[in-house]
Amino acid sequence: MMTQNSIYILVLLTLSYLVGEMGHFLLGATSRDIAREVGYGDKACFAMENGTILSCRQRKDETSCQIKGEDGGEDCKWDYTGLGMDYQVLAGPAFIAVFTVSGVIFGITADYMNRLRLLGCAVLVYSLAISSMGFATQYWQLVLLRMLLAAGESACSPICVSLISDLFSEKSRGVATGVLHLGVYVGFGLSQAAGIYLTRADLFGWGWRSVYILTGLPGIVISFLLVFLPDPRMADPSRTVQPTVRKTSFMEMAKVETKYLQIPLKSEDDNNNPSPRETFTENMKSLRTCLFSPFMLMMFLGASCRHSAGFTWAYNCRLFFLSYYPDNDVGAYFTFSAIVGGASAVIVGG
């Protein structure tokens, strides 16, 4: 049964996810503007007011790009594209390497700490990282802040899903999880709208910087709201949805899950009074068995394929159109397709 408290917490979790995903994907919409100010990545020849796109694109080096036109004016300029290896490092390894490791750490830590307080601290970290990117002046600063963003945002999925399992009954968890993941698609959609149109609006004369600063501010407010909420499992037990199956050494497993994950159930006589160290050791053994089961390995493979395709599209679609169809305004299409398509899928799936 859903209560006002559980709905309130779900709203905060969804908004937290939304802010994190906006900051995550803003890079793809603003990379060219950042590159031209900070200075990173590849360069190419771009048409100015007097030049033509085709003519300038055929000039492959800085010398030929700077050749003046017949009227003596400059037709083209040599400038950053927003692409290249430096951009790919920012979009990929700087984020994903940290996200992968820290996500597991947060998942384990959440079993022993106040989850809402832990999530609030994580939200504060990535919100500050997002806003701080608006003040970056060097490439290494962007890399460091992307890593902090990844470290903080990695807490969202394991902690939020864990909280939903406690706050909502089995019949409501699918819908609640779908609402939570609205933050992913709405966040991506808004990142395209904000990154393209607010940068173009040049708010406060700060261009792309204002977008990052403003994006992180709501997350700072949300983080303080989360920190002061009690963890459902530490509050009144009657307000927490109780598990319908017996808890194993690491996670609650139904009989069907036990069959596929091949984790043997322990009897009550196996260990009546385990010490914290023994409990932790058993948890790690169960986690290892779970992670290397055929079922989970197939899940990992499917998730890897899905995210590889999704990230490739998300990080390169805007820059692709800037490179080959610069006169087409595609920001509204990206925003609409992500929010409407993604939101519809997660709600129906939930």
Side-chain angles (χ1 to χ4, degrees):
M1 180 181 294
M2 291 185 288
T3 64
Q4 289 185 345
N5 182 63
S6 61
I7 293 174
Y8 172 67
I9 293 176
L10 178 60
V11 170
L12 290 181
L13 299 183
T14 304
L15 292 176
S16 300
Y17 223 156
L18 189 154
V19 172
E21 290 300 281
M22 274 195 71
H24 180 185
F25 291 112
L26 268 176
L27 181 66
T30 58
S31 180
R32 179 170 292 182
D33 299 283
I34 300 175
R36 290 181 175 179
E37 190 167 334
V38 176
Y40 68 80
D42 294 346
K43 287 185 173 182
C45 194
F46 293 90
M48 299 180 69
E49 293 183 0
N50 299 328
T52 62
I53 296 175
L54 181 60
S55 174
C56 294
R57 187 179 294 168
Q58 292 174 343
R59 305 179 187 185
K60 301 301 183 181
D61 56 73
E62 186 174 3
T63 302
S64 61
C65 183
Q66 293 178 343
I67 297 176
K68 296 183 178 181
E70 296 179 356
D71 58 355
E74 294 184 352
D75 296 336
C76 309
K77 64 176 179 178
W78 188 252
D79 209 344
Y80 290 99
T81 64
L83 291 166
M85 184 57 66
D86 289 342
Y87 169 69
Q88 298 302 334
V89 168
L90 277 177
F95 187 93
I96 295 173
V98 177
F99 186 92
T100 303
V101 176
S102 57
V104 176
I105 296 174
F106 272 117
I108 296 173
T109 306
D111 285 342
Y112 301 93
M113 293 183 62
N114 183 313
R115 290 169 294 179
L116 286 166
R117 190 171 299 167
L118 183 63
L119 180 63
C121 293
V123 173
L124 180 62
V125 168
Y126 70 66
S127 298
L128 290 174
I130 294 169
S131 292
S132 297
M133 288 184 72
F135 299 98
T137 57
Q138 298 184 47
Y139 176 73
W140 68 266
Q141 295 171 350
L142 293 172
V143 174
L144 178 61
L145 291 170
R146 284 283 292 179
M147 294 172 71
L148 286 175
L149 166 59
E153 194 185 354
S154 67
C156 287
S157 185
I159 295 179
C160 290
V161 172
S162 174
L163 285 165
I164 286 175
S165 69
D166 281 351
L167 290 168
F168 295 89
S169 66
E170 187 176 348
K171 292 182 178 180
S172 303
R173 285 174 197 161
V175 176
T177 305
V179 171
L180 171 68
H181 285 89
L182 281 176
V184 176
Y185 298 98
V186 175
F188 172 77
L190 292 180
S191 73
Q192 300 304 297
I196 295 172
Y197 299 118
L198 292 185
T199 299
R200 192 178 297 169
D202 195 20
L203 296 178
F204 313 113
W206 293 351
W208 62 270
R209 296 181 181 276
S210 63
V211 181
Y212 283 88
I213 295 171
L214 293 174
T215 297
L217 294 182
I220 296 174
V221 176
I222 294 170
S223 70
F224 285 101
L225 295 176
L226 289 169
V227 164
F228 295 105
L229 287 173
D231 191 308
R233 71 181 171 210
M234 299 178 182
D236 183 3
S238 64
R239 301 181 64 184
T240 303
V241 176
Q242 298 299 318
T244 56
V245 293
R246 182 163 55 86
K247 189 173 182 180
T248 65
S249 56
F250 182 73
M251 62 180 69
E252 296 172 9
M253 296 290 179
K255 292 182 179 180
V256 175
E257 292 172 317
T258 303
K259 174 183 176 182
Y260 284 109
L261 294 177
Q262 301 176 356
I263 298 178
L265 291 172
K266 293 179 63 178
S267 67
E268 295 180 359
D269 296 331
D270 286 343
N271 200 349
N272 293 326
N273 297 299
S275 66
R277 183 173 181 178
E278 290 173 335
T279 301
F280 180 80
T281 302
E282 288 297 324
N283 287 348
M284 293 303 100
K285 289 181 179 179
S286 295
L287 175 61
R288 182 180 59 196
T289 304
C290 172
L291 294 179
F292 289 96
S293 67
F295 176 81
M296 288 302 297
L297 290 176
M298 291 302 296
M299 292 290 287
F300 291 149
L301 178 61
S304 298
C305 294
R306 175 253 183 260
H307 284 290
S308 295
F311 286 162
T312 299
W313 183 83
Y315 283 125
N316 294 289
C317 59
R318 160 71 170 158
L319 292 167
F320 171 83
F321 279 94
L322 276 178
S323 299
Y324 296 99
Y325 305 98
D327 295 330
N328 291 0
D329 187 0
V330 295
Y333 293 103
F334 291 155
T335 301
F336 179 83
S337 62
I339 293 178
V340 176
S344 301
V346 295
I347 292 298
V348 173

